[in-house]
Amino acid sequence: MGKIQVLDDHIANQIAAGEVVERPSSVVKELVENSVDAGSTRIEVTIEEGGLHVIRVSDNGNGMDAEDCQKAFFRHATSKITTGKDLFQIRTLGFRGEALPSIAAVAKVELVTSSQSSGLGYKSVIEGGSVRTFEETASSKGTDITVRELFFNTPARLKYMKTIQTELGHVSDYLYRMALAHPNIAFTLRHNGNTLLQTLGNGDLVGVIASIYGAASAKQMLQVEASHPDYELKGYISRPELTRSNRSAITLVVNGRYIRSYALNHAIANAYHTLLPINRHPIAVLHITMDPTLVDVNVHPSKLEVRFSKEQELIQLVESQIRKVLGRQTLIPQGAKPVKPAVVQEQLVLYRPEIKEVREEEEVNEVKVVEEKSEPTFSAPAKVREYQPSSSYSSYQPPARPPTPSPALNRTYMESAAPVVAEKKPELPAFPSLTPIGQMHGTYLLAQSDEGLYIIDQHAAHERINYEYYYEKFGDPARASQELLVPITMEFTPADAQFLSGQLPLFESAGVYMENFGGGTFIIRALPHWFPEGEEAAIVGEMADWVLDEKKGIDLAKLREKAAIMCSCKASIKANQSLSRPEMEVLLDRLSQAKIPYTCPHGRPIVISFSTYELEKMFKRVM
Ligand code: ADP
Ligand code: MG
């Protein structure tokens, strides 16, 4: 006799429960999704002890009649799809018919429901997978499900449960997402008698954002709205100065379903680009609506991940729209309100520490006025300095290369910075026309416009200007490459050298021509002539370090960007540099022509402002 048996429904449901009922929040999710699918406009979730003790979800949706109220607990019983074809055009959150039987297999469930407004309803109690009682009862229209002793049939699971706070965290996170996804539904979440979330259900998404992230954050949101033949995009994104340390405040909603998408998160990050500090993320709530045939939601048991059939178009739409919205704003944080420190300075690894020491001595001569030119200029350090060895290359021969006859940075910079940058300027808000007042601590410029007072971080401003210049330059570096009279040599460990040998074409695309000389030594033969003078070896060294660090994740676009940031940082004036008035004027003028004059390439703010009105308020000239 064969050994294979078909499992009975109860065991099958218990097995399925492993997937559906992972933790209290997964039960909340299934029940709330059912309430949404039932067309509810009010959904109340009440839990005790993080949901381990009691989970109750009540709604004012369509409810169930006597027959459905029992069938709902059968395996694969669903009212949401009938034929296989329906699977390809899912308009509801549920469709697998698994949730209720799975939950009932591992918990005590009490269901009260009514599909009519007569007041007549049904109550059913299910324990260990079987119906204990089924009776008529008084009930308003809608459904009220209480789940107790979740996991009481599978005690081993309790062991895996983390603390009540952790479970509560998952439940509330889920409800936040649902509330953000459905501003037309009034959600309530109560835990051990305390109300943790209450939304009005009046369709006002900003109101929901306020109830979750606070009113101050809600005020910092910018509206996104776009139509496309296949997609409709609506929602809000935060201004760049409002950031979070992780991506958890990004809520993506596709046809009413909260989903996770690495690709879309990436598109959002790309749109902010250098407007955000390193390792900071925006708050964003994006509702994407599309024909259900364009998205496959049946790729993941919890349906958190979906597959888009036109993903590239969607990514482009999201990225370009967010960029447009950000571009339209005047992104100068206001000084009078407490400006959240948009940056965690310690996270910026601009130079390795050993290099920093050398830099500090150099900084003295970094800003010069070139007398014979009609316009003052900010020059790159003229001094050639020794590059300090780092872990990746054990020794370095200081370049014996004679200084380039015409300092590359100054000349090219003076000639082309303005036109090149201005040409590609997107539809930006007008950057205020600023007149310098003076300089503070050799670090900040004070300036005024008709509207108020501005404080500008001179290094950040110069870095932004230089970054845009170099970023353009790295777009087509090969043509600018110039053979070095005296090649620069660099040394690496054998393993690093071997890896780098395979990356030479990448360096060449960034204009850096190197050759493996053997024994871990590389010779740099040619470089773009606009590399900041005296910093060539340091920059190639950092490019190599970066390539070695990233290993798998390198691509040319990122290398170019990194290299542009390195060049701009090295070529920029530093703090503690006094600037003459004409120098300040030039700096502000160039800043006003930058594509993004608001943040440096590392995402730090460049300008903060105090409006005249705010100043008058502070001095009590107006009330
Ligand atoms: P699915 O949601 O995948 O259809 P479920 O097991 O979650 O499967 O639910 C089974 C059926 O029970 C649903 O298709 C629906 O008809 C009914 N149902 C469940 N919850 C509710 C509710 N809150 N209001 C009305 N009907 C419900
Ligand atoms: Mg369901």
Side-chain angles (χ1 to χ4, degrees), residues 30-40 57-59 61-64 68-69 71-74 76-81 92-103 111 113-114 142-145 303:
E30 294 299 336
L31 298 179
V32 169
E33 288 189 357
N34 281 344
S35 298
V36 172
D37 284 345
S40 312
V57 176
S58 74
D59 68 46
N62 297 332
M64 287 174 265
D68 282 353
C69 167
K71 267 201 204 155
F73 289 91
F74 294 173
H76 302 309
T78 179
S79 57
K80 299 169 194 175
I81 54 175
T92 49
L93 298 175
F95 57 85
R96 297 163 69 108
E98 282 181 328
L100 292 185
S102 304
I103 294 168
L111 164 78
T113 185
S114 169
T143 303
D144 186 337
I145 299 189
K303 306 169 213 108

Side-chain angles (χ1 to χ4, degrees), residues 292-602:
T293 55
L294 288 178
V295 54
D296 184 1
V297 294
N298 195 19
V299 292
H300 192 266
S302 65
K303 306 169 213 108
L304 264 176
E305 273 148 44
V306 299
R307 209 176 286 133
F308 298 108
S309 45
K310 298 189 181 175
E311 188 173 61
Q312 271 317 312
E313 280 98 321
L314 179 60
I315 287 171
Q316 276 190 356
L317 178 73
V318 168
E319 190 176 327
S320 63
Q321 286 307 312
I322 294 182
R323 186 166 289 155
K324 211 165 163 187
V325 168
L326 291 169
R328 255 186 246 133
Q329 303 303 312
T330 302
L331 299 168
I332 300 177
Q334 303 249 303
K337 298 182 199 114
V339 181
K340 269 212 172 157
V343 171
V344 189
Q345 189 94 24
E346 313 82 69
Q347 286 177 349
L348 301 178
V349 189
L350 299 187
Y351 328 101
R352 284 181 293 277
E354 67 268 36
I355 297 177
K356 206 167 183 179
E357 282 161 32
V358 183
R359 296 209 63 82
E360 267 146 27
E361 301 157 20
E362 281 178 350
E363 284 172 3
V364 183
N365 285 322
E366 284 188 3
V367 177
K368 291 202 207 99
V369 178
V370 179
E371 299 294 351
E372 57 281 12
K373 291 201 171 151
S374 54
E375 235 185 338
T377 173
F378 305 95
S379 73
K383 196 165 78 186
V384 174
R385 68 170 165 76
E386 274 188 31
Y387 186 67
Q388 301 293 300
S390 84
S391 54
S392 347
Y393 27 97
S394 49
S395 74
Y396 166 66
Q397 322 284 311
R401 172 188 171 204
T404 324
S406 59
L409 172 69
N410 286 351
R411 201 209 39 200
T412 348
Y413 183 71
M414 299 302 297
E415 282 166 9
S416 55
V420 169
V421 172
E423 228 170 69
K424 285 189 76 183
K425 208 161 142 163
E427 38 168 310
L428 265 186
F431 188 77
S433 152
L434 301 179
T435 317
I437 301 170
Q439 195 190 18
M440 183 195 162
H441 294 171
T443 300
Y444 302 106
L445 304 188
L446 304 186
Q448 60 182 322
S449 79
D450 292 347
E451 276 93 49
L453 171 71
Y454 296 76
I455 305 177
I456 298 105
D457 180 326
Q458 65 189 42
H459 174 70
H462 199 202
E463 225 181 349
R464 162 57 68 184
I465 297 165
N466 282 332
Y467 169 73
E468 294 190 358
Y469 166 77
Y470 285 113
Y471 192 80
E472 286 277 340
K473 286 290 179 193
F474 273 105
D476 185 17
R479 261 196 293 164
S481 273
Q482 186 168 284
E483 212 163 306
L484 301 178
L485 289 177
V486 180
I488 301 172
T489 55
M490 299 181 95
E491 298 214 342
F492 299 89
T493 65
D496 286 351
Q498 207 198 342
F499 183 79
L500 287 173
S501 296
Q503 302 295 329
L504 295 182
L506 182 77
F507 281 90
E508 281 164 25
S509 325
V512 176
Y513 291 80
M514 290 200 289
E515 208 175 282
N516 189 345
F517 201 64
T521 305
F522 279 71
I523 298 187
I524 304 171
R525 298 247 177 239
L527 286 173
H529 64 80
W530 38 258
F531 260 44
E533 210 207 342
E535 302 284 350
E536 298 86 346
I539 289 166
V540 177
E542 287 192 25
M543 285 166 79
D545 267 2
W546 183 75
V547 167
L548 288 167
D549 281 349
E550 294 288 304
K551 288 239 156 85
K552 286 198 204 85
I554 20 181
D555 65 43
L556 178 61
K558 276 200 244 161
L559 179 67
R560 281 179 178 160
E561 182 179 351
K562 285 279 165 190
I565 292 180
M566 290 166 197
C567 286
S568 59
C569 192
K570 297 207 183 293
S572 297
I573 47 166
K574 299 294 177 301
N576 293 318
Q577 293 288 301
S578 62
L579 297 187
S580 68
R581 208 179 178 80
E583 282 175 318
M584 295 182 211
E585 275 163 12
V586 173
L587 187 66
L588 292 178
D589 182 49
R590 292 212 179 124
L591 181 64
S592 73
Q593 295 176 43
K595 277 195 267 182
I596 302 177
Y598 307 108
T599 54
C600 81
H602 311 96

Side-chain angles (χ1 to χ4, degrees), residues 87-250:
L87 253 191
F88 301 103
Q89 38 183 323
I90 301 284
R91 287 168 205 275
T92 49
L93 298 175
F95 57 85
R96 297 163 69 108
E98 282 181 328
L100 292 185
S102 304
I103 294 168
V106 293
K108 286 187 186 172
V109 178
E110 192 181 306
L111 164 78
V112 176
T113 185
S114 169
S115 59
Q116 42 185 331
S117 20
S118 66
L120 174 70
Y122 302 92
K123 175 174 163 178
S124 160
V125 178
I126 297 138
E127 262 176 58
S130 357
V131 180
R132 299 276 171 223
T133 59
F134 179 75
E135 61 199 22
E136 282 188 3
T137 186
S139 164
S140 53
K141 191 174 168 200
T143 303
D144 186 337
I145 299 189
T146 307
V147 178
R148 283 197 182 81
E149 295 180 40
L150 192 57
F151 314 118
F152 89 121
N153 260 343
T154 50
R157 289 209 139 228
L158 258 183
K159 243 193 353 224
Y160 298 109
M161 288 292 131
K162 294 197 190 150
T163 60
I164 286 171
Q165 276 309 317
T166 310
E167 296 311 326
L168 175 62
H170 286 286
V171 171
S172 50
D173 183 68
Y174 171 72
L175 264 140
Y176 293 165
R177 310 289 184 181
M178 281 312 262
L180 290 167
H182 297 275
N184 283 312
I185 299 177
F187 284 95
T188 310
L189 170 64
R190 287 191 200 91
H191 180 242
N192 293 350
N194 301 316
T195 302
L196 301 183
L197 173 73
Q198 189 142 37
T199 64
L200 298 176
N202 61 0
D204 174 20
L205 182 54
V206 179
V208 180
I209 292 173
S211 55
I212 293 169
Y213 299 112
S217 297
K219 283 205 191 107
Q220 299 267 59
M221 302 301 288
L222 306 169
Q223 193 173 13
V224 181
E225 209 168 332
S227 278
H228 173 272
D230 292 314
Y231 303 108
E232 195 181 309
L233 180 66
K234 270 188 178 170
Y236 290 87
I237 56 165
S238 59
R239 294 172 66 96
E241 61 263 33
L242 177 63
T243 63
R244 309 218 127 198
S245 61
N246 57 42
R247 287 182 191 84
S248 67
I250 297 178

